[in-house]
Amino acid sequence: MVIAKYGTVSCLWLPFVMVTLCCMFEKGEVFGQTTADKPNIVFILADDYGYNDIGYHAIKHNSSMKTPFLDSLALAGVKLENYYVQPICTPSRSQLMSGKYQIHTGLQHLVITPPQPNGLGLDNIILPQQLKHCGYSTYMVGKWHLGFYKTEYLPWNRGFDYYYGYLTGGEDYYTKYRCFGKLCGYDMTSLKGPTNETYGEYSAHLFARKTEEVIKAHDKTHPMFLYVALQSVHSPMEVPESYAKPFSWIKNKNRRIHGGMILAMDEAVKNITNSLKSAGMWDNTLLIFSTDNGGQVFAGGNNWPLRGNKVTLWEGGIRGVGFVHGSMLKVPNPNTKPNTALIHISDWLPTILSAAKCPLISGSQQLDGFDQWDTIQKYTPSKRSEILHNIDPLNRVPIPDPHSMFVRKGFNTLIKAAIRMGDWKLITGNPGFEKWVEPPELKNEISDEVLTTDYENDKNLPSKTVHLFNIAKDPYERNELSQQHPDIVDILLTRLAAYNQTAVPVRYPAEDPRCDPKLHGGFWQPWEN
């Protein structure tokens, strides 16, 4: 049976049998399930949160970052220790929401910039739309960054019943002001339109407060999907002084402030959790915590001992912090057994639908993600053996006359791309900033100037365009093996070529001057009708 893909189907126009099925579907009672059987789903996404910046990694890898509450949730849940995200904001968010690789949505290249008439394609039936068809009430607080140039791309037109947050990729934590080049405006909006009522309120406090309001107002006769996309800990480096004070001994200014920003985020998650408990919803809530990409070392973040930085395809850019917490998890002894199954951010859509006992809308889209619900809660083997980290045809090593010497097994190795298959990982093109950055507080000698000078020089052409690593044996990517294993290189290049044949054209349009906030009351808002 195929049920309509969009909106609410009017029962008046259907025969009696279809009337019954339709109305059951609207109430979340399809396939013998009622809304009472479904867990609340809370997904908290941190921004630019480095691998070495959560407490349970920091203790192990000589970092001084503190996350007591996040640690307590992770230790009582399932820590995902072979978990991958995308290296930058929009691609991770698009894969979370669509369950599809970015080569299949056209968002292979960089992020959506504020002046671009761009967005995650409307042909994708995204996670909140899927869950609404199973009776969920859907809410979003925080950063969207999936396009807003037309009103149909706004969150409340993509399946969310409620939205309060910002539409671009970053802003001032207090003023909510965002500049992109010479274009400047405020960025805070809701279903009622743009607003300046929260001017001066620190972002982590604001989003926790708005989330608490949502929880208190929620009608508990329906299950809740709540997506909290925090601004923390993305630049600019801003936090109330009281949070930075415990890190006053750290000489590096960005790192000191970064510690405070992490502490404020930890408190925000605690307040959200306490609100769920006060509302009597916690025992039936599945909470998922994830970063969107690796930490930005130029802005205080840290991925040690992993190699690389945000934006890169090294492990430091794509191996993510993630854990799952909930009373419904069937974990025998979580405190001593992290989950090391291979899991990717594109897996969340089918995994959440499985946990919610919610079938994928019939014929809605071909997914690249896998249902990992049993893998998470029962520690069964992962359903995936490989991850396409990306293929970005617009990012290639600028060699003037490459001829065909860089095409191997049907794939141009000048193109920035990466794939993981089993224990092996292949990177082609220029993978970006390639250093290993120790936590600045480890020696506590590095000034801001030295850190910036030493680690920002990642624009040099790479000495080679093919890198091969055995990630299982060498998670820190110190032993490059392409010369020793040309057969493995050829297998992975063949896979990249096969994926490339399925890619849709890149969506990366030119900037549109009609976006200027001056033309829209001083706010970043849709500009096309």
Side-chain angles (χ1 to χ4, degrees), residues 43 45 83 91-100 127 227 345-346 348-349 352:
F43 197 109
L45 189 68
Y83 172 55
S92 274
R93 293 157 205 273
S94 70
Q95 296 199 22
L96 166 64
M97 286 289 130
S98 71
K100 296 165 67 173
L127 184 55
Y227 174 41
I345 194 167
S346 65
W348 286 122
L349 185 145
I352 289 172

Side-chain angles (χ1 to χ4, degrees), residues 356-383:
K357 305 178 181 69
C358 181
L360 187 73
I361 296 173
S362 179
S364 62
Q365 59 206 35
Q366 183 67 41
L367 300 182
D368 295 305
F370 292 84
D371 172 8
Q372 303 279 24
W373 182 229
D374 282 347
T375 301
I376 290 170
Q377 66 165 337
K378 298 179 182 177
Y379 284 68
T380 60
S382 173
K383 291 185 179 178

Side-chain angles (χ1 to χ4, degrees), residues 294-311:
Q296 173 59 280
V297 299
F298 313 135
N302 191 254
N303 304 305
W304 177 263
L306 302 180
R307 187 177 188 176
N309 184 41
K310 172 186 175 178
V311 183

Side-chain angles (χ1 to χ4, degrees), residues 356-417:
K357 305 178 181 69
C358 181
L360 187 73
I361 296 173
S362 179
S364 62
Q365 59 206 35
Q366 183 67 41
L367 300 182
D368 295 305
F370 292 84
D371 172 8
Q372 303 279 24
W373 182 229
D374 282 347
T375 301
I376 290 170
Q377 66 165 337
K378 298 179 182 177
Y379 284 68
T380 60
S382 173
K383 291 185 179 178
R384 66 162 64 243
S385 59
E386 68 180 34
I387 295 172
L388 176 67
H389 292 306
N390 195 27
I391 302 171
D392 182 357
L394 300 188
N395 189 327
R396 61 178 66 196
V397 178
I399 295 178
D401 188 18
H403 301 292
S404 61
M405 61 183 294
F406 292 99
V407 177
R408 180 172 167 184
K409 293 297 177 180
F411 190 79
N412 188 340
T413 63
L414 296 177
I415 293 173
K416 183 176 181 179

Side-chain angles (χ1 to χ4, degrees), residues 86 91 94-95 97-109 119-126 158 344 346 364-370 384 386-393 419 495-507:
Q86 295 308 108
S94 70
Q95 296 199 22
M97 286 289 130
S98 71
K100 296 165 67 173
Y101 287 145
Q102 60 207 83
I103 66 163
H104 295 144
T105 61
L107 298 174
Q108 302 97 307
H109 186 63
L120 175 61
L122 300 176
D123 56 322
N124 297 282
I125 303 179
I126 66 173
R158 305 298 302 266
H344 185 246
S346 65
S364 62
Q365 59 206 35
Q366 183 67 41
L367 300 182
D368 295 305
F370 292 84
R384 66 162 64 243
E386 68 180 34
I387 295 172
L388 176 67
H389 292 306
N390 195 27
I391 302 171
D392 182 357
I419 187 171
R495 291 297 297 143
L496 281 176
Y499 274 116
N500 206 29
Q501 289 296 313
T502 71
V504 302
V506 178
R507 297 169 61 116

Side-chain angles (χ1 to χ4, degrees), residues 357-509:
K357 305 178 181 69
C358 181
L360 187 73
I361 296 173
S362 179
S364 62
Q365 59 206 35
Q366 183 67 41
L367 300 182
D368 295 305
F370 292 84
D371 172 8
Q372 303 279 24
W373 182 229
D374 282 347
T375 301
I376 290 170
Q377 66 165 337
K378 298 179 182 177
Y379 284 68
T380 60
S382 173
K383 291 185 179 178
R384 66 162 64 243
S385 59
E386 68 180 34
I387 295 172
L388 176 67
H389 292 306
N390 195 27
I391 302 171
D392 182 357
L394 300 188
N395 189 327
R396 61 178 66 196
V397 178
I399 295 178
D401 188 18
H403 301 292
S404 61
M405 61 183 294
F406 292 99
V407 177
R408 180 172 167 184
K409 293 297 177 180
F411 190 79
N412 188 340
T413 63
L414 296 177
I415 293 173
K416 183 176 181 179
I419 187 171
R420 168 85 180 264
M421 178 185 285
D423 295 343
W424 295 98
K425 175 183 175 183
L426 183 77
I427 309 175
T428 64
N430 185 354
F433 172 79
E434 62 180 12
K435 295 182 181 290
W436 297 265
V437 182
E438 295 182 8
E441 68 270 23
L442 187 59
K443 296 180 180 178
N444 211 19
E445 298 173 347
I446 304 174
S447 69
D448 294 332
E449 292 74 22
V450 173
L451 183 67
T452 302
T453 302
D454 196 20
Y455 294 122
E456 250 181 8
N457 186 20
D458 63 345
K459 297 179 181 179
N460 294 330
L461 294 183
S463 58
K464 57 188 302 181
T465 62
V466 173
H467 297 80
L468 179 71
F469 300 94
N470 185 316
I471 295 299
K473 295 180 179 178
D474 178 27
Y476 312 139
E477 298 172 296
R478 293 184 179 274
N479 188 20
E480 203 282 309
L481 300 171
S482 61
Q483 295 299 316
Q484 293 93 318
H485 297 281
D487 54 331
I488 302 295
V489 171
D490 286 346
I491 290 171
L492 293 175
L493 285 173
T494 300
R495 291 297 297 143
L496 281 176
Y499 274 116
N500 206 29
Q501 289 296 313
T502 71
V504 302
V506 178
R507 297 169 61 116
Y508 201 74

Side-chain angles (χ1 to χ4, degrees), residues 16 65 70 117 152 166 272 290 350 357 425 474 482 503 517:
F16 175 76
M65 300 300 101
L70 289 172
E152 50 261 52
Y166 62 110
I272 292 168
S290 172
K357 305 178 181 69
K425 175 183 175 183
D474 178 27
S482 61

Side-chain angles (χ1 to χ4, degrees), residues 178-290:
R178 169 70 194 271
C179 288
F180 188 87
K182 296 181 179 179
L183 303 175
C184 295
Y186 294 98
D187 185 8
M188 189 58 60
T189 194
S190 71
L191 277 72
K192 297 178 181 179
T195 177
N196 224 0
E197 66 180 10
T198 63
Y199 184 98
E201 184 175 4
Y202 186 67
S203 170
H205 298 160
L206 166 64
F207 291 144
R209 179 172 65 83
K210 287 296 179 181
T211 302
E212 291 173 55
E213 290 176 4
V214 165
I215 293 167
K216 290 176 182 176
H218 172 67
D219 177 359
K220 289 182 230 176
T221 62
H222 296 274
M224 173 182 70
F225 172 59
L226 173 59
Y227 174 41
V228 185
L230 296 168
Q231 183 175 4
S232 309
V233 289
H234 195 287
S235 60
M237 309 308 294
E238 296 177 322
V239 74
E241 180 59 31
S242 61
Y243 294 93
K245 192 173 181 179
F247 306 93
S248 59
W249 60 275
I250 297 177
K251 294 180 181 179
N252 181 275
K253 180 181 178 182
N254 279 347
R255 187 64 172 165
R256 184 167 64 248
I257 297 173
H258 189 74
M261 295 168 75
I262 290 172
L263 207 55
M265 177 178 69
D266 189 70
E267 179 186 85
V269 176
K270 181 178 181 179
N271 290 339
I272 292 168
T273 301
N274 286 341
S275 183
L276 288 164
K277 291 177 179 177
S278 297
M281 299 170 63
W282 180 244
D283 289 342
N284 190 38
T285 291
L286 183 70
L287 185 144
I288 302 166
F289 181 88
S290 172

